[in-house]
């Protein structure tokens, strides 16, 4: 089975504050790196750089409580062993929520590892890892997070790779009360990132550069302690069409479930829900959900 990798249809949602495709100058702050992060092309492109002295990173100006977030990323090419490009949503504090994409570099010609994780109320340890069905360094690809009250769906070029479902009925906390910012960083993790730390960063290849473009957030913007995301809300959007809140109630349809199974069968390399050695007292409760 070879699912189409075409451009996905963006879902729109009406809410108190509606975030759309934007400009990096308007939507993000560079937070660290001492000049290694750059916003270029009148705000249409952002690059992060890593050398032996430091990496770099940025964060969104807005906080979000539910939404569909898309970012196109072109990862560090060539020998990227030891580097990590992280792209994630996170709140703050010891009981924070977090939704992670992390791209673990590798030697030239060897595939990246895409590492995913979900934290709720400070508890993580929900890792799933994948190889990709393309070279993520040759061109930009779209990495998406759909976060609503029942699902967190990770997608790559519109193809779902993971669906973390609300399991509150089984006593599992679900991220739904803490607004989160978008963060991204490029940093050195040679002690663990590539083959468990066996392969170190080759600093003669520095600087390492990852590039970002076409950020979209169809999302609820948290402002002054509120985020109005009621499913009954409907207004007109800036493009003149009637908006809809499909993503707020979205789950995987039959075709998407088929694509998810294809990815997991062919490209998943680690799943905490099948790691019986790690959980000798029994797998986490959410792993028993279908």
């Amino acid at each position: 089975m070879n699912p189409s990798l075409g451009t996905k249809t963006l879902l729109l949602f009406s809410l108190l504050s509606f975030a759309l495709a934007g400009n990096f100058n308007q939507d993000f702050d560079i937070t660290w790196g001492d000049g290694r992060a750059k916003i270029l092309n009148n705000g249409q492109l952002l690059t992060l750089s890593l050398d032996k002295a430091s990496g770099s990173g940025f964060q969104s100006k807005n906080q979000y409580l539910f939404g569909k977030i898309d970012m196109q990323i072109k990862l560090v090419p060539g020998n990227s062993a030891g580097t990590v490009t992280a792209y994630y949503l996170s709140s703050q504090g010891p009981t924070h929520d977090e939704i992670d994409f992390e791209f673990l570099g590798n030697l030239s010609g060897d595939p990246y590892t895409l590492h995913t994780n979900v934290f709720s109320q400070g508890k993580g340890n929900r890792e799933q890892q994948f190889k990709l069905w393309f070279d993520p360094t040759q061109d930009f690809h779209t990495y998406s997070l759909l976060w609503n009250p029942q699902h967190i769906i990770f997608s790559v070029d519109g193809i779902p790779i993971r669906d973390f479902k609300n399991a509150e009925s089984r006593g599992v906390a679900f991220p739904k009360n803490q607004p989160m910012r978008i963060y991204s960083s490029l940093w050195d993790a040679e002690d663990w990132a590539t083959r468990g730390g066996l392969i170190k960063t080759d600093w003669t290849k520095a600087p390492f550069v990852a590039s970002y473009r076409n950020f979209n957030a169809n999302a609820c913007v948290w402002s002054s302690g509120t985020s109005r995301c009621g499913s009954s809300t409907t207004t007109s959007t800036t493009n003149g069409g009637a908006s809809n809140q499909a993503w707020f109630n979205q789950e995987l349809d039959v075709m998407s479930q088929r694509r998810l199974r294809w990815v997991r069968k062919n490209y998943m390399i680690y799943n905490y829900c099948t790691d019986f050695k790690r959980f000798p007292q029994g797998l986490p409760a959410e792993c028993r959900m279908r």
Side-chain angles (χ1 to χ4, degrees):
M1 179 177 154
N2 183 19
S4 169
L5 302 182
T7 303
K8 59 189 174 300
T9 301
L10 292 176
L11 301 172
L12 300 178
F13 179 58
S14 171
L15 60 153
L16 181 63
S17 299
F18 190 73
L20 283 170
N23 180 294
F24 282 109
N25 283 313
Q26 297 171 0
D27 296 327
F28 292 92
D29 291 317
I30 292 172
T31 50
W32 63 286
D34 193 24
R36 291 172 179 81
K38 294 181 171 63
I39 296 176
L40 307 167
N41 298 353
N42 296 315
Q44 299 306 303
L45 178 71
L46 188 152
T47 61
L48 294 181
S49 179
L50 164 69
D51 58 35
K52 196 165 187 177
S54 178
S56 51
F58 64 89
Q59 69 180 43
S60 62
K61 295 179 186 292
N62 287 325
Q63 297 181 79
Y64 304 95
L65 186 63
F66 305 127
K68 184 171 185 292
I69 310 294
D70 303 310
M71 184 78 81
Q72 290 194 332
I73 307 174
K74 182 163 66 173
L75 296 175
V76 174
N79 183 357
S80 59
T83 71
V84 173
T85 306
Y87 161 57
Y88 59 103
L89 291 168
S90 183
S91 61
Q92 298 297 310
T95 58
H96 76 294
D97 295 336
E98 187 173 324
I99 305 168
D100 292 341
F101 277 115
E102 289 187 317
F103 303 90
L104 313 185
N106 214 331
L107 295 169
S108 298
D110 290 340
Y112 266 78
T113 296
L114 171 51
H115 176 99
T116 68
N117 204 352
V118 176
F119 289 75
S120 53
Q121 294 294 306
K123 174 179 168 49
N125 299 323
R126 299 184 175 108
E127 301 91 348
Q128 292 183 356
Q129 294 184 337
F130 307 84
K131 299 300 184 185
L132 294 167
W133 49 94
F134 54 84
D135 183 346
T137 72
Q138 293 300 304
D139 203 351
F140 287 89
H141 292 269
T142 304
Y143 302 93
S144 304
L145 293 169
L146 189 151
W147 169 35
N148 66 33
Q150 296 301 319
H151 296 266
I152 297 169
I153 299 173
F154 297 73
S155 298
V156 177
D157 287 337
I159 295 178
I161 64 169
R162 180 173 186 178
D163 181 7
F164 183 81
K165 300 175 182 177
N166 187 323
E168 289 178 303
S169 63
R170 294 176 178 262
V172 179
F174 187 83
K176 67 176 189 179
N177 297 314
Q178 300 185 55
M180 296 194 268
R181 293 188 193 275
I182 301 164
Y183 296 87
S184 191
S185 58
L186 175 57
W187 51 289
D188 174 42
E190 67 174 9
D191 56 335
W192 65 270
T194 306
R195 300 183 192 173
L198 292 176
I199 308 298
K200 303 301 183 182
T201 305
D202 182 356
W203 293 111
T204 67
K205 306 299 184 184
F208 303 98
V209 178
S211 302
Y212 301 74
R213 73 180 188 189
N214 290 349
F215 163 70
N216 281 274
N218 298 322
C220 309
V221 176
W222 184 265
S223 178
S224 301
T226 62
S227 179
R228 188 166 300 172
C229 302
S231 60
S232 62
T233 307
T234 56
T235 65
S236 295
T237 63
T238 54
N239 65 7
S243 71
N244 67 73
Q245 63 276 12
W247 65 261
F248 192 80
N249 299 299
Q250 185 175 343
E251 56 186 30
L252 296 179
D253 60 19
V254 172
M255 178 58 72
S256 295
Q257 291 178 28
R258 189 176 303 163
R259 289 178 170 182
L260 177 68
R261 288 194 297 269
W262 173 78
V263 171
R264 296 171 78 83
K265 177 181 177 181
N266 294 286
Y267 296 100
M268 176 180 273
I269 58 173
Y270 177 77
N271 182 5
Y272 78 109
C273 279
T274 59
D275 193 343
F276 294 94
K277 184 180 294 186
R278 181 180 176 189
F279 301 104
Q281 304 304 315
L283 295 173
E286 68 270 17
C287 294
R288 299 190 286 274
M289 291 185 66
R290 288 192 171 272

